[in-house]
Amino acid sequence: AYALHGTCVEADNYTVPRREFCKKMRDLQILHQARELVYDVVADVRTPRSPPLDITDLGIQEHVFEDRNKARRVYWTEYVFTEMQVLADKIAATVQAVNNPEQEGGAQGQEEETFQWDYSIAQLEEMIASIPPNELLLPLRKSFDVELRKLVRTAQQRPLDKSPLYPIAFEIVSELVARVPAVINSVRERL
């Protein structure tokens, strides 16, 4: 006796979309892993920090000072910059003495908070304003304010080397100086 067995299989209508889905998921997985590798590499890179500005360089002083005080239209000169640094130190010492009167004698064991002027005139004005206007400190506060105003007025005057006529005048004077030996020789020959 023969037995006949039959199997009926229904066609899978989702074979093609399933393959596309698997391929798409594999591509996304590869992309995700590649991104993780790149992010890990970037996170491990240590970019060296740029060194702090060398404020002793006159060119950097000029750029920083004029940039921080752009609204006031002031010009950097070595004299004004140096005098404002001295004034900033005086004001900072006064403010520190007013805020910490017990440290005036030089308290031991405590680190002094060092003042760092940010090269802006506004910071100096704020520090002067922070000095209490009592009868003992009022003359000192006024003298700081007067000195700062004088320095600001001086800084607002355009230096000669920043004048638009400076290069022309420099060239003319240089040509005159270069001709002096020839003129002296011609006068000497006449005599």
Side-chain angles (χ1 to χ4, degrees):
Y2 291 106
L4 187 60
H5 293 283
T7 307
C8 180
V9 179
E10 190 176 326
D12 188 3
N13 296 333
Y14 299 106
T15 304
V16 174
R18 190 178 307 116
R19 278 190 208 137
E20 288 175 6
F21 176 75
C22 287
K23 183 180 180 308
K24 188 176 181 182
M25 291 310 290
R26 192 174 338 108
D27 291 345
L28 285 173
Q29 183 180 13
I30 291 170
L31 180 65
H32 180 71
Q33 289 173 343
R35 281 188 182 155
E36 280 186 359
L37 285 172
V38 169
Y39 289 145
D40 288 345
V41 168
V42 169
D44 288 341
V45 171
R46 301 278 187 252
T47 306
R49 293 179 184 239
S50 58
L53 293 177
D54 179 16
I55 205 66
T56 59
D57 181 7
L58 300 181
I60 292 176
Q61 281 181 8
E62 178 179 1
H63 176 71
V64 170
F65 180 75
E66 288 181 0
D67 189 51
R68 298 262 166 89
N69 299 296
K70 216 178 263 185
R72 295 178 187 265
R73 297 183 182 191
V74 294
Y75 297 95
W76 175 91
T77 60
E78 191 172 1
Y79 168 76
V80 168
F81 188 80
T82 305
E83 290 300 312
M84 281 194 181
Q85 278 185 319
V86 170
L87 180 62
D89 292 340
K90 287 181 192 175
I91 296 170
T94 303
V95 168
Q96 186 174 5
V98 167
N99 292 339
N100 303 321
E102 68 277 353
Q103 289 184 359
E104 205 170 291
Q108 298 286 333
Q110 293 181 349
E111 289 187 27
E112 284 189 30
E113 190 176 310
T114 59
F115 165 73
Q116 184 65 36
W117 179 41
D118 71 354
Y119 312 113
S120 71
I121 295 168
Q123 184 188 26
L124 296 178
E125 291 172 338
E126 290 169 8
M127 290 180 65
I128 291 171
S130 72
I131 299 172
N134 61 30
E135 55 188 61
L136 181 65
L137 295 174
L138 190 60
L140 188 59
R141 180 179 170 170
K142 283 184 179 179
S143 73
F144 288 154
D145 191 46
V146 167
E147 189 175 345
L148 180 61
R149 287 175 193 241
K150 284 180 185 176
L151 289 170
V152 169
R153 273 195 309 271
T154 303
Q156 287 174 334
Q157 296 172 0
R158 182 185 306 191
L160 292 177
D161 62 338
K162 294 197 179 188
S163 169
L165 300 175
Y166 181 79
I168 298 167
F170 183 80
E171 190 172 323
I172 291 171
V173 170
S174 297
E175 287 178 14
L176 289 173
V177 169
R179 290 183 185 176
V180 167
V183 171
I184 289 175
N185 286 337
S186 69
V187 169
R188 188 179 305 150
E189 289 174 1
R190 290 183 196 162
L191 293 177

